[in-house]
Amino acid sequence: SESDELECLQGEDRSEDFDIKLECDLLLDRVQREVSERDFNILTLRYGLRGNPPHTLSEVAEIHGITRARVNQIEKQCVNSLRELTAR
């Protein structure tokens, strides 16, 4: 139909996607200032952030020379920091 063609020509409105990505980037910047460089790197590696592919606990542990349990602890601390920042 004519309206379908018009929608196709106009393209999708991706401004909401852009806004969400921007908010996430700003939040990550705030977390980066609150945690150590190593801890932030662990967070980005585990979740595939800032251009990194996601890594397993074992991979991150090997990269940083620490145990998987310690990676898990650090990951939880960083996620808690994220939650605190979003609650403010």
Side-chain angles (χ1 to χ4, degrees):
S1 75
E2 194 172 301
S3 64
D4 290 338
E5 290 175 4
L6 184 58
E7 284 180 28
C8 183
L9 290 174
Q10 290 175 339
E12 287 185 55
D13 180 8
R14 298 191 183 270
S15 61
E16 188 174 332
D17 292 344
F18 177 78
D19 290 345
I20 291 170
K21 182 179 178 344
L22 182 61
E23 285 180 40
C24 288
D25 285 343
L26 292 172
L27 187 58
L28 282 174
D29 288 343
R30 289 174 61 192
V31 170
Q32 187 173 15
R33 290 190 297 267
E34 294 207 7
V35 301
S36 72
E37 185 177 333
R38 178 194 70 172
D39 291 1
F40 186 74
N41 184 259
I42 287 170
L43 179 71
T44 59
L45 289 175
R46 281 291 289 140
Y47 289 96
L49 304 169
R50 299 275 166 101
N52 294 301
H55 289 72
T56 65
L57 281 172
S58 296
E59 290 170 335
V60 176
E62 187 175 324
I63 289 167
H64 285 280
I66 57 178
T67 65
R68 289 179 307 162
R70 184 65 186 131
V71 169
N72 194 41
Q73 290 171 344
I74 292 168
E75 177 185 343
K76 286 180 182 181
Q77 289 171 350
C78 288
V79 169
N80 285 337
S81 292
L82 279 166
R83 286 189 180 122
E84 289 173 14
L85 288 171
T86 57
R88 293 182 191 170

